[in-house]
């Protein structure tokens, strides 16, 4: 399929966001863009990205297949994802997944016979305090159970758009992919949707109710100046420039704590 | 539900979460009424080096899991080197259990953007990228809107507030890969490649994005900056402990009455957090928990009074990580929980190095065998051997992290494994489930 001029223009807009000699940075948004037109990343979409960036199709293909949000087969308007990572799982996520899978007659990464719903299980969606969660086009339905989950997909198949618990009112997966490509939400009301849920506010509400705040906050506190008293301290530290700027390993500077767990397990 | 005692309530330190109470704080005019962009005005009148020193003085440590001192990291950026500098915000939040960055960006996006502008000014960067997890669509929507608003008000673009400093910010959505939270994989992904970690050294401070000096910081780290600029380092250090200063958002999930986000000074204990959360769910007794996401070794009910700061958790044999406290009870099975986490690591392993790619694959298989009632005593040894071959031998922290739930659950809950192996506990997975498993 040929891509429209409008899409081409959008592609140029995306590329312009990145430094001129670094256009390859535009690849992820470009893949979201072709998905917004076709519903998945097809060979034609791969070719389009390659052409826009002056790289090979193999280079684009290698990237497209690495990321789970790029779908290789045609998708429905609605991507239903059920979190089955540990926390949601023990809170009932597995039952939700199993029930929906049976109800829709499809498994992971498959699309229903009527072409409307693509189904998948997801890893932790950063909403464990609302678990078990599912999403439709990545908008959250919180604390679902198998019955409410079935009700949501029923509504979708009946052409309705159920309102997510948090996040914006639904748009189709193709429409959403335009936003993933970095373009603004065109629906003003959608921006205002999604008030903070109770779990999000729990700690801060508790503090408010009991009049707790952090004392001693004075926004006029001056910033200490080291001007005039010799070499600025930060500059001196900058000399140590080739030292690690960051951790070597994710959760700590060394694997020591894990080493200890391993030893003690043995 | 029980009401927490006063002394426990006083552990709460609403700072980064405070504006979440204002439903419209994501709009720039509301944000401005709530101290918004006051820190920027103050910071931009100061010398950049003084800002780096200010952050050093505050003792701020990275909120992305490793706790690296932020001021030190900024100070590593070589100055007057003639190269462009970059600030990259790590908004890829995906560590199982972690759910603090997404609400922050959704409900108070400008606080992150204000922090980005101040940090960029301090390290002399004219371009900043916010790499946000693809699935986080509502947070990204609000963030993109906030960036547009900030441009319109002259907080972004050229000659910000007459300072002569220019800054462009791009919100870049990922596409579904946990490994892109690892900072060098993130940089590769941002450059348009598969998100696979890079060999270090060289470190991002000198060879980061486009081989230029780059600071990579977590959302919570950068969003803390405006508060430190306003309140000063002494006020900041009035929260937390000596070596772990400031407030931290603890994400509580699981078998408690009120899961949610609780911002407290670093060093609060799980006992206090559970009290704040209204206690355990009726009928549930604390059995195991993660102090900071699934990559941090599990702790047990015996650790309920461990101070949850970087030092305290390390002394207890685990890692503070992202302060994602996932709380499990006597009705949850540590073997099954670990199995689900391993499925995650197996799925998310980027495949670059053998120990992690193969090790996680094999361990998933062993867990399936144990949970379907066909495990052997040998399987336990094989699990620990495999961990031995992954830990310290894998290319990045994902591999190390995968061993955490395995070794810690064997350490504390060996009997649970033996119960499956010796047939005292009914299989959790059926043969039918195993057929379809992939
Ligand atoms: C597998 C893996 C995943 C990670 N995921 C994240 C993440 O989602 N967000 C984050 O800020 N840091 C994550 N990190 C840590 C980053 O590599 C890095 O330490 C952090 O972004 C530095 O920022 P900070 O100093 O402000 O904490 C991850 C590390 C690893 C190894
Ligand atoms: S440890 Fe795992 S995620 Fe990290 S580089 Fe190796 S294979 Fe990739
Ligand atoms: S485990 Fe489901 S959102 Fe975290």
């Amino acid at each position: 399929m040929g891509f429209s001029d409008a899409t081409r223009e959008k592609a140029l807009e995306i590329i312009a966001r990145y430094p001129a000699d670094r256009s390859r940075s535009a690849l992820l948004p470009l893949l979201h863009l072709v998905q917004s037109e076709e519903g998945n990343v097809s060979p034609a979409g791969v070719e389009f990205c390659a052409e826009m960036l002056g790289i090979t199709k193999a280079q684009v293909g290698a990237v497209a297949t690495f990321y789970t949000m790029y779908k290789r087969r045609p998708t429905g308007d609605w991507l239903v994802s059920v979190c089955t990572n540990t926390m949601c799982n023990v809170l009932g996520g597995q039952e939700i997944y199993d029930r929906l899978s049976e109800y829709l007659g499809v498994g992971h990464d498959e699309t229903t016979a009527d072409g409307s719903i693509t189904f998948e299980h997801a890893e932790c969606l950063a909403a464990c305090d609302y678990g078990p969660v599912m999403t439709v086009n990545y908008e959250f339905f919180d604390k679902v159970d198998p019955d409410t989950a079935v009700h949501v997909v029923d509504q979708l198949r009946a052409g309705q758009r159920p309102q997510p618990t948090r996040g914006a009112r639904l748009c189709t997966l193709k429409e959403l992919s335009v936003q993933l490509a970095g373009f603004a939400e065109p629906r003003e009301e959608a921006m205002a949707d999604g008030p903070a849920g109770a779990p999000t506010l729990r700690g801060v509400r508790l503090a408010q109710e009991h009049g707790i705040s952090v004392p001693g906050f004075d926004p006029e506190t001056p910033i200490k100046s080291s001007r005039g008293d010799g070499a600025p301290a930060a500059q001196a530290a900058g000399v140590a420039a080739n030292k690690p700027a960051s951790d070597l390993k994710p959760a700590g500077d060394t694997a020591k704590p894990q080493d200890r767990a391993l030893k003690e397990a043995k | 539900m029980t009401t927490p005692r006063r002394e426990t309530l006083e552990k709460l330190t609403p700072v980064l979460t405070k504006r979440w109470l204002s439903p419209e704080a994501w709009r720039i005019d509301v944000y401005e009424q709530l101290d918004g962009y006051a820190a920027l005005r103050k910071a931009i009148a100061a010398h950049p080096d003084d800002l780096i020193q200010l952050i050093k003085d505050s003792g701020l440590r990275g909120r992305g899991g490793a706790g690296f001192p932020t001021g030190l990291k900024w100070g590593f950026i070589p100055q007057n080197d003639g190269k462009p500098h970059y600030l990259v915000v790590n908004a890829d939040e995906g560590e199982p259990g972690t759910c603090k960055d997404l609400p922050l960006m959704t409900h108070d996006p400008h606080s992150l953007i204000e922090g980005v502008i101040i940090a960029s000014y301090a390290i002399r960067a004219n371009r900043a990228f916010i790499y946000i997890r693809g699935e986080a669509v509502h947070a990204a929507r609000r963030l993109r809107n906030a960036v547009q608003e900030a441009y319109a008000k002259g907080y972004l673009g050229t000659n910000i507030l007459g300072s002569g400093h220019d800054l462009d910010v791009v919100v870049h959505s990922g596409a579904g890969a946990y490994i892109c939270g690892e900072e060098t994989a993130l940089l590769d992904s941002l450059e348009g490649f598969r998100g696979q970690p890079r060999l270090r050294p060289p470190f991002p401070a000198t060879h980061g994005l486009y081989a230029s000096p780059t600071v990579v910081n977590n959302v919570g780290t950068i969003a803390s900056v405006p508060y430190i600029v306003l309140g000063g380092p002494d006020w900041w250090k009035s929260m937390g402990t000596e070596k772990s200063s400031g407030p931290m958002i603890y994400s509580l999930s699981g078998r408690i009455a009120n899961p949610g986000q609780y911002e407290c000074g670093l060093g609060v204990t799980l006992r206090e957090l559970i009290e704040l959360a209204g206690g355990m769910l009726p009928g549930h007794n604390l059995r195991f928990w993660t102090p900071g996401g699934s990559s941090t070794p599990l702790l047990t009910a015996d650790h309920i009074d461990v101070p949850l700061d970087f030092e305290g958790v390390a002394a207890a044999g685990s890692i503070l990580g992202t302060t994602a406290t996932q709380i499990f009870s006597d009705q949850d099975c540590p073997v099954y929980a670990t199995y689900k986490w391993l499925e995650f690591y197996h799925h998310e392993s980027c495949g670059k190095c053998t120990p992690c790619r193969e090790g996680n694959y094999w361990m998933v298989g062993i867990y399936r065998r144990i949970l379907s009632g066909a495990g052997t005593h040998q399987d336990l040894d094989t699990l620990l051997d495999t961990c031995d071959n992954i830990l310290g031998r894998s290319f990045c922290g994902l591999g190390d992290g995968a061993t955490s739930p395995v070794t810690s659950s064997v350490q504390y809950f060996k009997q649970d494994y033996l119960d499956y192996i010796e047939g005292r506990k009914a299989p959790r997975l059926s043969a039918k489930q195993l057929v379809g498993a992939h």
Side-chain angles (χ1 to χ4, degrees):
Chain A
M1 136 173 193
F3 286 85
S4 66
D5 285 348
T7 302
R8 231 162 251 280
E9 240 159 68
K10 279 208 178 83
L12 293 174
E13 229 181 286
I14 291 171
I15 293 169
R17 288 182 205 140
Y18 303 90
D21 51 342
R22 303 293 180 178
S23 59
R24 188 166 171 161
S25 274
L27 183 49
L28 264 61
L30 284 179
L31 286 164
H32 284 303
L33 181 71
V34 296
Q35 188 151 283
S36 79
E37 192 155 324
E38 294 198 302
N40 65 316
V41 176
S42 71
V46 168
E47 190 174 348
F48 175 82
C49 294
E51 184 199 318
M52 293 306 299
L53 296 176
I55 57 179
T56 66
K57 286 186 278 183
Q59 285 170 316
V60 176
V63 173
T65 51
F66 185 81
Y67 297 92
T68 51
M69 286 172 74
Y70 301 130
K71 304 299 179 194
R72 285 190 251 178
R73 284 170 291 167
T75 51
D77 276 347
W78 312 111
L79 175 66
V80 174
S81 319
V82 180
C83 178
T84 54
N85 199 295
T86 302
M87 182 50 78
C88 285
N89 199 295
V90 307
L91 297 176
Q94 190 65 46
E95 286 76 47
I96 296 163
Y97 178 84
D98 293 343
R99 173 84 173 273
L100 278 186
S101 178
E102 198 181 328
Y103 187 72
L104 295 171
V106 290
H108 173 69
D109 201 20
E110 290 175 0
T111 300
T112 51
D114 66 357
S116 66
I117 291 178
T118 301
F119 184 61
E120 64 178 14
H121 62 73
E123 295 300 351
C124 177
L125 289 164
C128 314
D129 48 346
Y130 291 92
V133 296
M134 67 181 247
T135 58
V136 176
N137 295 351
Y138 307 110
E139 309 287 359
F140 281 103
F141 290 80
D142 298 328
K143 268 196 166 304
V144 275
D145 60 36
D147 290 340
T148 51
V150 163
H151 185 57
V152 168
V153 299
D154 275 345
Q155 285 177 291
L156 291 172
R157 289 210 285 194
Q160 295 161 3
R161 298 193 176 190
Q163 180 63 30
T165 326
R166 283 175 299 141
R169 62 199 67 191
L170 296 179
C171 59
T172 66
L173 191 57
K174 286 181 182 169
E175 288 163 347
L176 184 76
S177 298
V178 180
Q179 294 181 43
L180 285 165
F183 294 95
E185 165 66 75
R187 305 166 299 164
E188 201 154 313
E189 336 77 70
M191 190 68 68
D193 281 345
T200 298
L201 299 180
R202 213 138 246 160
V204 66
R205 274 232 173 100
L206 205 54
Q208 186 193 38
E209 279 163 20
H210 295 273
I212 308 256
S213 62
V214 185
F217 179 75
D218 174 10
E220 305 298 329
T221 311
I223 298 173
K224 245 196 342 213
S225 167
S226 56
R227 310 289 84 206
D229 50 32
Q235 203 71 29
V239 177
N242 223 349
K243 279 212 209 131
S246 177
D247 55 307
L248 275 166
K249 295 281 164 103
D253 282 332
T254 66
K256 264 194 205 122
Q258 284 137 327
D259 265 339
R260 183 169 143 193
L262 176 62
K263 265 196 214 99
E264 285 174 18
K266 283 187 162 170
Chain B
M1 185 196 133
T2 50
T3 310
R5 290 165 303 154
R6 183 76 200 174
E7 64 208 81
T8 311
L9 286 166
E10 280 170 0
K11 301 279 172 176
L12 290 164
T13 53
V15 177
L16 278 79
T17 51
K18 198 168 162 201
R19 262 191 226 96
W20 299 2
L21 284 171
S22 311
E24 302 268 278
W26 55 273
R27 298 183 193 274
I28 197 163
D29 45 335
V30 177
Y31 179 74
E32 285 174 321
Q33 285 160 21
L34 301 168
D35 280 346
Y37 290 106
L40 174 62
R41 288 173 199 281
K42 191 171 165 185
I44 215 135
H47 192 278
D49 290 339
D50 291 336
L51 290 172
I52 297 179
Q53 189 59 42
L54 172 79
I55 299 304
K56 283 186 183 170
D57 292 344
S58 75
L60 175 66
R61 297 173 67 170
R63 292 338 193 197
F68 193 86
T70 307
L72 199 59
K73 187 183 270 195
W74 294 9
F76 286 149
I77 296 295
Q79 295 302 338
N80 304 316
D81 56 343
K83 284 189 179 179
H85 298 173
Y86 297 100
L87 174 72
V88 176
V89 176
N90 189 340
D92 196 47
E93 183 160 76
E95 169 75 13
T98 312
C99 41
K100 63 189 174 61
D101 297 343
L102 261 49
L104 191 142
M105 292 186 286
T106 306
H107 304 298
D108 195 11
H110 282 287
S111 69
L112 177 61
I113 291 164
E114 186 172 6
V116 164
I117 307 169
I118 298 170
S120 300
Y121 172 71
I123 64 163
R124 286 87 155 174
N126 299 119
R127 266 181 195 273
F129 294 94
I130 301 174
Y131 185 104
I132 183 167
R133 178 173 180 178
E135 295 92 336
V137 292
H138 200 47
R141 183 181 280 127
R142 291 269 177 89
L143 212 47
R144 289 201 170 94
N145 179 64
V147 167
Q148 273 189 349
E149 288 182 320
Y151 269 107
K153 287 260 185 163
Y155 297 130
L156 285 175
T158 50
N159 193 19
I160 294 166
L161 300 178
S163 66
H165 186 73
D166 305 339
L167 179 65
D168 283 312
V169 173
V170 169
V171 179
H172 186 99
S173 285
Y178 164 66
I179 187 58
C180 291
E182 196 282 335
E183 59 180 17
T184 61
L186 185 154
L187 294 174
D188 258 34
S189 177
L190 184 50
E191 290 186 11
F193 294 88
R194 298 168 79 106
Q196 291 186 312
R198 299 176 178 175
L199 192 65
R200 291 175 297 185
F203 291 93
T206 55
H207 296 76
L209 187 64
Y210 312 134
S212 286
T214 303
V215 163
V216 183
N217 271 140
N218 171 255
V219 169
T221 313
I222 293 295
S224 297
V225 169
Y227 300 99
I228 298 172
V229 167
L230 286 179
D234 293 332
W235 170 74
W236 186 259
K237 285 191 289 192
S238 72
M239 295 165 274
T241 55
E242 193 193 334
K243 289 188 176 161
S244 303
S245 67
M248 183 80 193
I249 303 172
Y250 291 82
S251 306
L252 271 63
S253 60
R255 307 296 193 177
I256 42 179
N258 295 305
Q261 309 301 316
Y262 295 83
E263 189 178 15
C264 295
L266 279 158
V268 68
T269 65
L270 185 71
R271 186 191 298 278
E272 289 160 340
L273 287 172
I274 291 177
E275 189 180 336
L276 290 172
M280 296 293 292
L281 276 179
H284 289 263
N285 295 304
L286 175 66
R287 183 137 189 256
F288 59 101
W289 53 292
T290 65
S294 60
S295 303
T296 64
L298 296 171
L299 294 176
T300 68
D302 290 342
H303 301 101
I304 195 165
D305 291 314
V306 167
L308 299 178
D309 61 1
F310 292 102
E311 292 69 32
V313 179
S318 188
I319 309 168
L320 184 68
T322 58
T323 56
T325 31
Q326 295 186 283
I327 296 163
F328 299 88
S329 77
D330 48 0
Q331 301 188 23
D332 300 314
C333 169
V335 184
Y336 182 75
T338 303
Y339 160 62
K340 289 316 288 185
W341 279 318
L342 274 191
E343 289 244 17
F344 164 79
Y345 290 108
H346 168 230
H347 181 256
E348 299 299 331
S349 167
C350 83
K352 182 165 179 153
C353 69
T354 314
C356 167
R357 183 187 61 238
E358 301 301 321
N360 282 313
Y361 168 80
W362 284 108
M363 290 204 292
V364 165
I366 294 171
Y367 272 94
R368 288 206 182 121
R369 192 157 60 223
I370 293 175
L371 287 165
S372 63
T376 64
H377 290 92
Q378 178 104 45
D379 281 337
L380 276 182
D381 296 334
T382 313
L383 280 179
L384 294 182
D385 262 3
T386 311
C387 287
D388 213 353
N389 281 305
I390 297 175
L391 184 60
R393 291 181 173 82
S394 45
F395 193 82
C396 86
L398 187 145
D400 291 345
T403 69
S404 288
V406 179
T407 55
S408 56
S409 63
V410 174
Q411 176 186 352
Y412 296 120
F413 304 109
K414 192 167 181 179
Q415 193 58 45
D416 289 71
Y417 284 85
L418 293 175
D419 286 348
Y420 283 111
I421 291 170
E422 293 166 6
R424 278 185 300 276
K425 204 164 175 186
R428 182 76 194 246
L429 298 178
S430 65
K432 176 172 148 258
Q433 275 168 305
L434 289 182
V435 174
H438 55 95

